[in-house]
Amino acid sequence: MTETTIRRVLLVALALAAALPAQIVQQLHVRIPMRDGVQLSANIFRPAFNGRWPALLARTPYGKGTALSLNYRSYVDHGYVVVVQDVRGRGESDGVFRPLHQETLDGEDTLNWIGRQAWCTGKIGMIGGSYLGIAQWQAALGNSPYLKAIAPSVAGFDDYFDRFYSRGGAMKLGHRLVWLSENLRVPGYPRLDISRYMWHLPLRTSDRSAAGRTIDFYQNSLNHPSYDAFWRSVSTREQLARVHVPVFTSAGWFDNYAQSDLEAFEVLRRLGRHAYIVVGPWPHSFTDHLPVSFGPQSVARLRTLQFEWFDHWLKGQGSLSDWPAARIFTMGDNEWRHEESWPPAEARIHELFLGGAGKANSFLGDGVLVTHHEHRHESDHYLYDPRKPVPTRGGAICCNPRLLPPGPMDQRPVEQRRDVLVYTSVPLDSDLDVTGNVRVTLWVSTTARDTDFTAKLVDLAPGGSALGVTDGILRLRYRGGLGRPALATPGQIYPIAIDAGVTSTVFRAGHRIRLEISSSNFPRFDRNPNTGRAIAEETELRTASQTVYHGGAYPSALILPVIPRTGTSALLRHGSGLELRHRVP
């Protein structure tokens, strides 16, 4: 959440407070004790009518303010007490802000305090998105008997994968530094242009560039670039079996947290928990605009669904028997679909192989995607210079749309570069429904001891735009796993797998499927300096010569999860590049 957004919300809240009707009782800056003696500050808003009420708790690092916001007012009107609390070390709460470690115990202590109040029925839910959603997951790991349901939005459930590093081990530099700059700047430290701190080297001191001070949890993230015991100890993902409360998650395809939100849903369903999810064509803030419209039907009744959710679990009202486990918006069709699992059980894995005569550089090259694996092998080459990285254009990005615009942006400006390999299919003769996790397997070599490879799925319209669908990155030292870094031998050929994210989109008949391969996506991800040394300390940048192999012994491929449609295989063009062979995932 940006400072501008926070100020706008607070102004609205103050205006509402001036007209706050008498039927709402407010208690401001209530001190709630934690087990270690630290006191956290909370605002409490409750119906004035005599009686006991279920409560909804929101725990925020962005300032609880001094009034009931428009967002929370509707819950009080609906018969809930709303408690908005500054987390430890933020706002008017005491203590030191340690976001990786504090929210489980503090959440549990706060829930226990609320549950014992005379105005509470002893049944509590939690609400809020982003950090407020992360705080819900952490509180759910506690054992408070009062917590009955949570509704995290755009939150994810693992700090390594969601807030600091990608699934391929590259740091989410843009996400981290913008957040530090907007929320943790030293008072009086100037707000710098994004380019001033994004390009800063070494990364070890980029927190000082962005926020004017050294930030301990950022430093800890640099100390642990691999997914190790440090990250596992603070991960909800690693402890998800301890979450027993019902969970209703909302997520957006163009948000940084979507993949983790879906993964949490998938695991909880396998564990037999009450888990439900809605995923729409939205960025991190569902009210922000995207460069492409998906129609009025893309708006979900989230508040109505949340009322139904909490009324059921906290008031014993209504039934969720007609709720689908997953409400998924499919882009292209621009329709909602109902699923009982993720990925959908009917999904089938299809491979499109990289082909061409070895000159796939830019959209003017000869790179193709074909359904048959070519017998003769070829290779495509490009230079990756970290001083001139491929710029980020859209995608599933958090959290400031002004500085890092999210969404399905036109990729033609980056496809003009020779350090971007472009592989394109023939036009589809029928719609192709891609719903699930997109992956790319490549055979690669490099002249560096360590480097990055990126992959981006693109929807190429007839004679028009090349809209990004989803993307990913792999740091080569993590080709054997995020917990097993190993430098590369220059010139040696390695098979690698790139997790390119999640989507539900239909490639329309007449459109082409396109895959971009390169070595940077900056500043969404940090630049690999290509030296093989510790990246956090590096100031030297080297150019690397990259090779991607395909055909023969090197079946490099784009791997798509496809939902079969009536007559799909007959509609695909037989023998000309789109008769997709498939297997069950």
Side-chain angles (χ1 to χ4, degrees), residues 114-148:
I114 294 171
R116 293 191 294 265
Q117 300 308 301
W119 40 257
C120 183
T121 62
K123 294 185 177 182
I124 308 171
M126 293 186 72
I127 53 176
S130 198
Y131 192 104
L132 286 71
I134 295 167
Q136 294 181 54
W137 283 112
Q138 291 291 316
L141 294 175
N143 59 7
S144 174
Y146 302 106
L147 183 61
K148 303 301 181 182

Side-chain angles (χ1 to χ4, degrees), residues 25 37 68 94 136 140 185 240 267 305 368 405 480 491 502 523 553 564 568:
V25 173
L68 181 64
D94 300 336
Q136 294 181 54
R185 284 201 321 278
L240 199 61
V267 174
L305 293 174
V368 295
V502 292
T568 295

Side-chain angles (χ1 to χ4, degrees), residues 254-255 283 290-292 393-397 404-411 468-469:
F254 298 106
D255 173 55
L290 292 173
V292 173
R393 284 189 63 82
I397 303 177
L404 295 171
M409 295 184 67
D410 196 336
Q411 302 302 309
V469 177

